Amino acid sequence: MADPRLTPARPDLAARFLEGKVEAARFVDGVAHEVIAAAAPLRRAPAHDAALDTEALKGERVTVYDRREGWAWGQLVNDGYVGWLPDALLAAPGPTPTHKVAALRTFAFPGPSIKLPPVSTLSLGAALAVTRIDGDFAITREGHHIPTRHVVPFDHRASDFVAVAETFAGTPYLWGGKTSLGIDCSGLVQVSLTAAGIGAPRDSDMQQGALGAEVPLSEIGRIERGDLIFWKGHVAIARDAESLIHANAFHMATTIEPTREALSRIKTAGSEVVTIKRLWDNCRHPPPPYPPPQAGEG
């Protein structure tokens, strides 16, 4: 059965590329859009109080299949997640992004001065179409001025995704979050891997199934930097054999803590480690990028 989180299909409507594969009253072609806000919530239903499943960052592409009272129903191009986004935060795609935010967060200023009131706060991974670099500022197609030291070329890959995750230490825990203002366990894994040029699915169960090679549970005392440790509904990133980093509801934050303490506490709460995944040997040899479901591919 198709995963509804990754399948743009409802009883009343589905993406045309699914015709003949799913049942729906009608099939429609999608329309390409991009996120124009710093981040856009993707919710389970077209309502502001509906569950937050994930977030799409500025510049991210979305294929929209339906609209309803200020909401757009569609599929994120990067990881294939399906849901409802505020229509006002989407627009027709602009130029291909040239740069992305590499700092944990940064400000977009309306002009070439840090004394001006910012127009937006951008998080790590936000995609930008930069028209020119002028000294201390990268100037975007909207005319926003981003500190040059906070952006990198769009194809830049961080050398160590664990180091990226470590910059989120102290970030509040937010179910469905993907920014420095709030992030969840699988969001931390996805954002950090993406910064290193490695695609990853959104949720921890998807990551457990799609990423890396399994390490025997008997090796948990010898885990390596970059290993992913999975419990049911939770994932953490090993920093080394003695410590890990994870966004978790116990601390309500992204926390670096001793592995033994985390394992003991979570076990006491009733959950055992189910899988350890090794993405590559000591973070030196990246595997092929995870291929996310793409709108139109079926």
Side-chain angles (χ1 to χ4, degrees):
M1 180 179 294
D3 189 333
R5 296 171 295 179
L6 302 175
T7 309
R10 311 186 316 235
D12 64 317
L13 180 148
R16 191 172 304 282
F17 72 88
L18 292 172
E19 194 165 4
K21 302 176 183 178
V22 301
E23 293 186 5
R26 62 191 180 100
F27 294 87
V28 299
D29 294 316
V31 179
H33 288 72
E34 74 171 67
V35 175
I36 56 174
L42 184 145
R43 299 191 182 276
R44 206 164 299 174
H48 291 288
D49 58 356
L52 176 67
D53 281 333
T54 187
E55 293 179 301
L57 303 181
K58 179 176 173 58
E60 190 164 348
R61 267 38 177 185
V62 184
T63 305
V64 173
Y65 295 100
D66 190 21
R67 284 188 161 84
R68 182 185 304 174
E69 298 177 350
W71 292 87
W73 183 72
Q75 184 173 36
L76 304 183
V77 170
N78 287 352
D79 63 18
Y81 221 105
V82 174
W84 294 89
L85 302 102
D87 206 357
L89 304 186
L90 304 177
T96 301
T98 60
H99 291 72
K100 61 186 176 183
V101 174
L104 184 63
R105 71 181 71 88
T106 191
F107 294 113
F109 297 96
S113 172
I114 60 172
K115 296 181 180 180
L116 295 171
V119 296
S120 182
T121 303
L122 302 175
S123 193
L124 186 146
L128 309 169
V130 172
T131 58
R132 71 184 191 280
I133 303 292
D134 188 1
D136 292 335
F137 293 99
I139 303 170
T140 70
R141 65 184 175 93
E142 301 96 336
H144 297 164
H145 289 60
I146 317 293
T148 305
R149 65 185 62 189
H150 288 173
V151 302
V152 293
F154 191 74
D155 60 359
H156 173 83
R157 295 185 175 192
S159 60
D160 180 0
F161 88 93
V162 184
V164 176
E166 289 169 341
T167 66
F168 281 87
T171 297
Y173 179 83
L174 175 66
W175 180 277
K178 280 181 56 175
T179 76
S180 62
L181 299 179
I183 200 164
D184 65 14
C185 65
S186 56
L188 179 67
V189 170
Q190 188 188 51
V191 168
S192 302
L193 284 174
T194 299
I198 301 166
R202 176 59 178 90
D203 293 344
S204 62
D205 63 321
M206 301 176 188
Q207 293 169 356
Q208 180 182 337
L211 298 176
E214 196 163 333
V215 175
L217 293 180
S218 60
E219 296 291 306
I220 196 162
R222 292 186 288 274
I223 55 177
E224 300 178 359
R225 184 174 180 85
D227 287 352
L228 302 180
I229 307 168
F230 291 92
W231 296 260
K232 184 178 180 181
H234 187 58
V235 60
I237 305 168
R239 299 175 67 240
D240 48 41
E242 285 80 36
S243 64
L244 53 75
I245 181 168
H246 58 154
N248 65 93
F250 178 82
H251 294 99
M252 285 306 296
T254 297
T255 308
I256 295 172
E257 61 177 322
T259 302
R260 286 184 179 273
E261 289 184 14
L263 295 175
S264 176
R265 185 186 70 252
I266 297 172
K267 182 176 181 179
T268 300
S271 183
E272 298 270 8
V273 173
V274 294
T275 308
I276 303 169
K277 288 296 195 73
R278 182 156 297 156
L279 302 185
W280 61 89
D281 183 23
N282 296 321
C283 301
R284 289 193 294 269
H285 304 292
Y290 166 76
Q294 296 291 325
E297 289 188 356

